[in-house]
Amino acid sequence: MAAAATPAATPVAAPADEQSFKVVTEQFADLRVLRYQVPGFEQLDPKQKELLYYLYEAALAGRDIIYDQNYRHNLRVRRTLEALWEANQQRMASSSNTQQVDQAQKLNVYAKRVWFSNGVHHHYSTRKFVPECSREYFAELVRGVDSKSLPLLPGESVDQFLAAITPVIFDPTLDAKRVNQEAGQDLVKTSANNFYQNLTQKEVEDYYAKKINKKDLRPISYGLNSRLVKDKSGKIVEQPWKVGGLYSPAITQIVYWLGKAADVAETPEQKLALQKLVKYYSSGDLKVWDDYNIAWVHDTKSRVDVVNGFIEVYGDPLGYRASYESVVSFKDLEATKRIKAIGDQAQWFENNSPIKPEHKKKNVVGITAKVITTVVESGDAAPATPIGINLPNATWIRKEHGSKSVQLGNIVEAYDQASAGGMLDEFAYSDEEKQRAKQYGSLAGKLHTDMHEVIGHASGQLNPGVGTTKETLKSYASAIEEGRADLVALYYLMDHKLIQLGVVPNLEVGKAEYDSYIRNGLMTQLSRLTLGETVEEAHMRNRQMVAKWAYEKGRKDNVVEKVQKDGKTYFRINDYDKLRNLFGQLLRETQRITSEGDYNGAKTLIETYGVKVDPAIHKEVLQRYQKLNIAPYAGFIQPRLVPVEREGKVVDVKLEYPSDFAQQMLEYGRKYSFLPNAN
Ligand SMILES: [Zn+2]
């Protein structure tokens, strides 16, 4: 629910003064590595910097956890690649044997892909990828390094190690998918994540059907912080991730740094929240997790903020277990004014929404919207990052205490700078469309995210007695929820209210977003899939569903037109007002599905419009995209915080911008490797 996973590729021109900072550092496979700036850090006071530093260390201390959560062999794979890195670099540098240089380069790319994805499965498609170098080359390198540097299990020989690790790395059919969402299959058994052991989907579902009390108005987030295992006696047990439980060595470090952070908190509310987070990590008690979230929501006055915990459940096909992540930030005071102007009007937006009256919230509670400047990200939030966050996820806490909605301003800025140019020229139909995107695209993209997070997710209510969407809409819940939030944003982007509020100069901004959304949903996002694949990721499903539904339903009025020009396909919007009306209708329908818990409605909508790919269009997009030579996914090198100490006290903190992705990953591997190879 929280994250707009990636921006909808709105290309805009970079302002000239920002071009001195190198945003794009390198590109390999389907990935680009970018950097972001942290404007305003120097102006923070020393206490705030000290607090940020402790939160930064806490964030990175948990990095190993995401590897192990994603797949039980990931830490071993990563450590193997770290151990081989130097020897492989030497082979890349020696030019005498070109075949060997080629092999070395291929392993080099593989290592960087593993770092980028926090494991052997693609961060987005969750499919396993394998190195293009030979097994022989890999084995030769392994045998060539000091065996003490290899992640051997107790008593394991190098040969045994090779026999075990080679298929894990090289066999694409072994544990082929991290998160399998394909209808009709056992989603637990066919997903390679490390959230369940020896269990079938049915056993898990039965376990929670018995455990969850549907009448509880304030349910804990069942399963959020544990692995579920069937032990040798056939008993199903939860293994919580906590101090003294699973991942204890890493969590103990997190707790240490959070404790130091609590000592220098800016406000009593922030101190209380951090103390509760420490208590939660120490006890594993999900009731305390709820207490923490309530305290966190009420901490609104602090400039510095942090997300640290097991947060999003996208990694679990059943949506119970959450991935470790951390985002450390401080408020961007200037940009927050824009998002606040929208948040302050939440009730107006709710009242004027095209959804049915009985699905409207009478009182939209406590929306805290802000733009933040990111300082560091870790776990599931890095190197690939969300651009917006809306937490907490527990519905009842959001209802009773509100939520915090943030946009990661400096990350969005970096994306905008990195994506200037090519895509827009290739896929936009007319000069008018291109001009509009250049002038308003950046603002349009930011506003879309603002409204998606601030009023989109907050809008609407469930009918009495209807369970959460996780229970009712099951595997379609995320795509419907993201679609609903997008539709709220799209509907209001063409509303005069935004001009009145002073957040847009005119409705050209809305048109720019409509152009971009249709372009992306019907064409450009397909560049992320290989031929023959269907759409699986929730955000991609929702974007295609929304765009395709509007295209199909508007066909008789030619609202969105498919045009051919010079042998290329384009989608041109002929009538923005009618398109807005269609978005309104679909918003009403997705809200109805949500409010009623209409599983079949959700299934039909997503399966009809969100999943299938037109192979001809897909092929064309891939061909046109390939010519541009832009990798479709981006992630970030993190800034480095260096404390300045005097007499054992942190008196200042320096912020540096490393520029080499691999070096940062190796540095993290040395500094933050707290977990054993097998957990
Ligand atoms: Zn969202």
Side-chain angles (χ1 to χ4, degrees):
M1 173 179 273
T6 36
T10 312
V12 289
D17 59 324
E18 277 157 345
Q19 281 169 0
S20 49
F21 181 83
K22 199 171 156 215
V23 174
V24 184
T25 67
E26 66 175 315
Q27 174 166 328
F28 49 86
D30 56 354
L31 309 170
R32 284 206 292 179
V33 179
L34 315 180
R35 301 196 302 162
Y36 61 88
Q37 286 174 287
V38 190
F41 183 83
E42 297 307 323
Q43 287 75 48
L44 296 172
D45 70 47
K47 268 273 168 280
Q48 289 171 324
K49 291 186 199 173
E50 183 182 0
L51 172 59
L52 283 166
Y53 170 66
Y54 296 144
L55 296 172
Y56 162 95
E57 291 289 354
L60 292 169
R63 177 175 178 258
D64 272 0
I65 296 172
I66 189 66
Y67 278 83
D68 197 71
Q69 285 183 316
N70 282 346
Y71 183 44
R72 66 191 196 283
H73 299 302
N74 273 341
L75 283 170
R76 281 242 282 182
V77 172
R78 192 193 81 201
R79 285 167 185 161
T80 304
L81 296 168
E82 288 167 357
L84 303 183
W85 181 261
E86 251 334 294
N88 195 55
Q89 290 301 107
Q90 282 166 20
R91 294 190 183 217
M92 258 167 74
S94 75
S95 54
S96 53
N97 182 342
T98 55
Q99 218 178 346
Q100 189 172 282
V101 171
D102 179 55
Q103 290 288 311
Q105 272 164 351
K106 284 171 171 164
L107 186 64
N108 178 275
V109 167
Y110 178 73
K112 289 194 280 192
R113 292 185 75 183
V114 169
W115 283 324
F116 193 100
S117 291
N118 297 312
V120 302
H121 300 92
H122 192 277
H123 75 287
Y124 206 71
S125 76
T126 85
R127 263 170 238 281
K128 190 171 179 179
F129 54 86
V130 296
E132 289 180 14
C133 68
S134 70
R135 295 174 187 224
E136 292 70 30
Y137 175 77
F138 172 76
E140 192 188 310
L141 269 191
V142 168
R143 291 209 172 87
V145 299
D146 183 352
S147 67
K148 283 201 277 301
S149 71
L150 295 170
L152 303 177
L153 297 177
E156 193 178 41
S157 71
V158 172
D159 280 337
Q160 286 168 330
F161 166 71
L162 259 175
I165 203 85
T166 302
V168 166
I169 291 177
F170 284 89
D171 182 353
T173 63
L174 176 70
D175 301 321
K177 200 108 193 265
R178 175 162 62 82
V179 190
N180 186 25
Q181 293 280 18
E182 245 169 82
Q185 299 186 10
D186 186 318
L187 304 184
V188 168
K189 276 210 163 328
T190 54
S191 295
N193 63 51
N194 195 13
F195 290 144
Y196 301 96
Q197 280 180 1
N198 309 322
L199 285 161
T200 65
Q201 181 177 348
K202 175 138 196 331
E203 286 171 320
V204 177
E205 283 170 353
D206 289 349
Y207 177 83
Y208 282 107
K210 258 183 257 160
K211 195 159 177 125
I212 296 174
N213 172 9
K214 290 214 170 98
K215 292 204 187 89
D216 188 350
L217 296 173
R218 297 184 178 102
I220 56 165
S221 302
Y222 290 95
L224 193 78
N225 67 336
S226 67
R227 181 164 69 190
L228 194 66
V229 174
K230 183 152 80 175
D231 67 16
K232 285 188 194 90
S233 67
K235 212 173 129 218
I236 298 177
V237 288
E238 291 193 49
Q239 301 175 325
W241 307 316
K242 60 166 193 163
V243 173
L246 264 182
Y247 305 146
S248 184
I251 294 173
T252 303
Q253 292 286 330
I254 297 173
V255 162
Y256 169 78
W257 290 107
L258 289 178
K260 289 183 85 75
D263 290 342
V264 295
E266 292 175 272
T267 61
E269 290 82 7
Q270 185 178 50
K271 192 187 200 72
L272 181 74
L274 288 167
Q275 285 168 341
K276 286 194 184 293
L277 184 56
V278 165
K279 194 176 162 203
Y280 157 68
Y281 271 131
S282 306
S283 65
D285 185 346
L286 285 168
K287 201 99 196 117
V288 180
W289 172 244
D290 286 346
D291 292 346
Y292 157 70
N293 276 292
I294 293 164
W296 180 75
V297 166
H298 291 296
D299 169 26
T300 53
K301 292 193 191 75
S302 318
R303 180 92 190 265
V304 170
D305 206 353
V306 64
V307 172
N308 186 313
F310 307 108
I311 310 286
E312 299 297 343
V313 295
Y314 299 110
D316 177 358
L318 301 189
Y320 290 106
R321 313 198 127 66
S323 302
Y324 172 77
E325 73 166 72
S326 185
V327 177
V328 178
S329 66
F330 59 93
K331 199 185 289 180
D332 176 341
L333 302 175
E334 206 37 55
T336 296
K337 285 182 192 158
R338 182 190 69 230
I339 202 167
K340 188 173 178 301
I342 294 162
D344 286 348
Q345 294 293 321
Q347 194 65 54
W348 186 92
F349 287 114
E350 188 74 348
N351 294 346
N352 289 276
S353 168
I355 63 177
K356 289 184 178 171
E358 64 266 35
H359 297 154
K360 289 183 184 179
K361 277 202 184 107
K362 303 289 170 287
N363 293 297
V364 181
V365 177
I367 293 174
T368 308
K370 61 179 178 176
V371 178
I372 58 171
T373 302
T374 312
V375 174
V376 73
E377 297 175 290
S378 173
D380 202 29
T385 164
I387 55 169
I389 297 177
N390 186 330
L391 292 171
N393 280 332
T395 318
W396 71 265
I397 299 179
R398 300 170 70 83
K399 208 169 139 196
E400 292 181 23
H401 300 274
S403 59
K404 278 193 209 176
S405 183
V406 303
Q407 190 180 117
L408 286 65
N410 55 336
I411 299 277
V412 172
E413 205 59 50
Y415 269 125
D416 283 351
Q417 288 170 38
S419 64
M423 280 293 273
L424 182 66
D425 278 336
E426 179 58 41
F427 289 98
Y429 175 70
S430 63
D431 286 338
E432 187 193 337
E433 194 180 323
K434 287 173 200 175
Q435 198 44 47
R436 192 156 48 220
K438 282 183 184 138
Q439 201 169 351
Y440 299 114
S442 180
L443 175 60
K446 285 174 187 166
L447 266 174
H448 179 106
T449 311
D450 290 350
M451 292 199 285
H452 172 112
E453 299 292 346
V454 178
I455 55 173
H457 283 307
S459 163
Q461 63 180 5
L462 301 180
N463 288 354
V466 173
T468 64
T469 55
K470 194 168 73 187
E471 290 149 18
T472 56
L473 307 183
K474 300 181 199 296
S475 64
Y476 300 106
S478 293
I480 291 289
E481 175 59 20
E482 293 308 324
R484 206 180 58 79
D486 266 2
L487 285 159
V488 171
L490 289 167
Y491 183 76
Y492 282 116
L493 268 158
M494 286 289 287
D495 199 303
H496 286 275
K497 181 77 176 174
L498 297 190
I499 302 175
Q500 280 173 29
L501 290 176
V503 296
V504 301
N506 53 52
L507 293 184
E508 289 296 296
V509 179
K511 288 185 182 176
E513 187 58 19
Y514 280 25
D515 293 338
S516 144
Y517 199 91
I518 291 292
R519 227 169 30 233
N520 183 62
L522 293 178
M523 296 199 77
T524 53
Q525 74 166 1
L526 295 176
S527 63
R528 298 172 169 205
L529 304 177
T530 52
L531 219 53
E533 277 180 353
T534 56
V535 184
E536 295 213 31
E537 196 278 331
H539 292 82
M540 281 182 74
R541 277 186 169 185
N542 99 63
R543 288 184 197 133
Q544 177 173 307
M545 182 271 286
V546 169
K548 212 166 188 168
W549 188 94
Y551 169 66
E552 296 287 347
K553 297 290 171 186
R555 232 165 157 170
K556 60 178 190 309
D557 293 332
N558 210 18
V559 176
V560 179
E561 187 179 0
K562 189 172 165 183
V563 197
Q564 300 289 331
K565 189 174 70 176
D566 305 329
K568 292 175 178 176
T569 309
Y570 300 87
F571 287 89
R572 177 180 64 191
I573 300 171
N574 292 321
D575 192 327
Y576 290 88
D577 289 329
K578 280 192 177 146
L579 182 55
R580 183 187 185 210
N581 189 282
L582 288 167
F583 286 148
Q585 289 174 36
L586 186 56
L587 170 56
R588 189 179 170 95
E589 173 63 2
T590 49
Q591 182 60 54
R592 183 200 63 75
I593 287 170
T594 303
S595 295
E596 295 176 3
D598 178 5
Y599 175 80
N600 286 326
K603 184 178 176 184
T604 307
L605 207 48
I606 299 297
E607 294 289 344
T608 311
Y609 300 101
V611 177
K612 279 169 260 169
V613 178
D614 176 340
I617 295 262
H618 191 189
K619 198 172 161 198
E620 181 189 324
V621 168
L622 290 177
Q623 279 167 354
R624 288 164 68 182
Y625 193 74
Q626 202 174 17
K627 287 205 188 105
L628 300 175
N629 195 29
I630 306 168
Y633 302 99
F636 288 88
I637 296 174
Q638 303 300 324
R640 185 195 293 119
L641 297 194
V642 183
V644 180
E645 287 174 88
R646 205 173 297 145
E647 291 157 15
K649 283 205 164 71
V650 176
V651 292
D652 195 12
V653 178
K654 297 267 170 269
L655 186 141
E656 300 172 354
Y657 295 111
S659 57
D660 187 312
F661 177 60
Q663 288 309 317
Q664 174 158 84
M665 294 296 104
L666 290 166
E667 180 186 325
Y668 284 177
R670 284 189 301 270
K671 272 188 83 173
Y672 303 106
S673 201
F674 296 121
L675 296 184
N677 294 316
N679 291 278

